[in-house]
Amino acid sequence: MYHPFSIAETFKTAWNVTKKNFLTILIYSAIATVLLGVVQFFNAFVDVSNDTFAEFIVFLILMIIQTYATLGLYKLIFTLIDNEYYEFEFSQLVPTMKMVFSFIAICLFLAFAIVTLNLAIEQGLQSYPEEVMKVAQVLEVMLILYAALRYMFCACFIVDDNSGPIESLRQSRLLTKSHMIHLLALLGMMVVVIALGFMVIGKAILVLYPFVNVVVIVTYRKLVYSNLDVDDDVAETH
């Protein structure tokens, strides 16, 4: 049957997906964390502070590895959902170069936009009272939060639909168009879950980070099904 979008159902489904595949997701997260830690460890002993080109290369390598780890987790979660009753191969979990560079392009674009906006506010409001600057900074944070919510599914479209950077931005914006209240409520619940998780189990990044991504992916799938007005396979199978 058709399932309209529901926050409670989304969290329930995300929890079921995580619970059924907990060990697989945890092992992947641990391997990715160790790999990133090793790269950053070696980077700490390489002095490239006097070489701009070397700094850029190191930054690019770290970003590519981080992107592979992030998109690999997304591919793993999508594969676990779509192949619940079937075996899958390791090759299905490896992001393509197109996916990696699409995600990097979006990250660089958003970083450039945020830095430019911040500099524009600081330079443009220097002669204004401090109160005006504080109001502008609050508005900036709200704008960044709004943009983050509108474009939070870019990685999902890149992995699930093999979309390019521009297309994934457009798709995410369209998908979230009529669901901002739902997404704000969902974000609030995720913040509460993360806070409680750290209070209960301390350094919970290996558990909470994958679960948050499962929530994002399940939300994406449910919004897609809801907008298409078709059967919600995620809800039906979990």
Side-chain angles (χ1 to χ4, degrees):
M1 61 178 291
Y2 166 62
H3 294 268
F5 181 75
S6 164
I7 293 177
E9 184 63 30
T10 296
F11 264 91
K12 178 183 176 182
T13 303
W15 172 247
N16 287 336
V17 171
T18 305
K19 183 171 61 175
K20 289 181 179 180
N21 304 285
F22 179 76
L23 187 59
T24 302
I25 295 174
L26 186 64
I27 291 174
Y28 177 89
S29 299
I31 293 174
T33 300
V34 170
L35 177 61
L36 290 171
V38 170
V39 173
Q40 292 176 347
F41 175 79
F42 282 107
N43 180 51
F45 289 92
V46 178
D47 185 13
V48 294
S49 57
N50 296 322
D51 191 333
T52 304
F53 180 74
E55 283 185 336
F56 173 76
I57 294 299
V58 171
F59 169 77
L60 186 60
I61 291 174
L62 289 174
M63 177 169 280
I64 289 175
I65 293 175
Q66 177 68 60
T67 301
Y68 263 109
T70 300
L71 296 186
L73 177 60
Y74 271 60
K75 287 202 65 121
L76 173 63
I77 296 170
F78 274 119
T79 302
L80 291 172
I81 292 174
D82 295 338
N83 297 274
E84 180 181 7
Y85 304 107
Y86 306 94
E87 293 184 357
F88 55 87
E89 299 178 354
F90 176 77
S91 59
Q92 293 177 253
L93 308 181
V94 181
T96 64
M97 290 302 295
K98 176 185 175 182
M99 293 177 183
V100 171
F101 285 113
S102 292
F103 189 75
I104 288 177
I106 291 175
C107 291
L108 292 177
F109 169 74
L110 294 178
F112 174 79
I114 292 173
V115 171
T116 301
L117 177 62
N118 190 55
L119 288 175
I121 291 175
E122 290 183 355
Q123 297 296 324
L125 299 179
Q126 280 185 339
S127 59
Y128 287 82
E130 184 178 351
E131 291 75 12
V132 175
M133 177 68 77
K134 290 182 178 179
V135 171
Q137 289 173 341
V138 170
L139 293 175
E140 179 189 9
V141 171
M142 293 176 63
L143 179 60
I144 293 173
L145 175 60
Y146 174 78
L149 289 174
R150 292 305 301 271
Y151 301 111
M152 66 184 294
F153 298 118
C154 289
C156 294
F157 280 108
I158 288 173
V159 172
D160 193 39
D161 206 34
N162 200 28
S163 300
I166 297 176
E167 180 64 12
S168 63
L169 287 169
R170 186 188 70 83
Q171 289 172 312
S172 182
R173 179 176 57 82
L174 291 175
L175 185 64
T176 58
K177 184 176 181 180
S178 303
H179 298 281
M180 289 304 295
I181 301 300
H182 289 131
L183 294 176
L184 280 171
L186 190 69
L187 177 63
M189 292 183 66
M190 289 170 65
V191 170
V192 171
V193 169
I194 292 172
L196 290 176
F198 274 101
M199 289 174 59
V200 174
I201 54 179
K203 296 181 179 179
I205 187 66
L206 286 179
V207 178
L208 294 177
Y209 176 70
F211 177 68
V212 167
N213 283 281
V214 173
V215 173
V216 171
I217 289 172
V218 170
T219 302
Y220 155 80
R221 275 288 174 84
K222 286 182 172 293
L223 286 178
V224 169
Y225 285 126
S226 178
N227 285 3
L228 292 176
D229 194 19
V230 298
D231 287 351
D232 183 351
D233 293 337
V234 179
E236 295 293 350
T237 57
H238 296 281

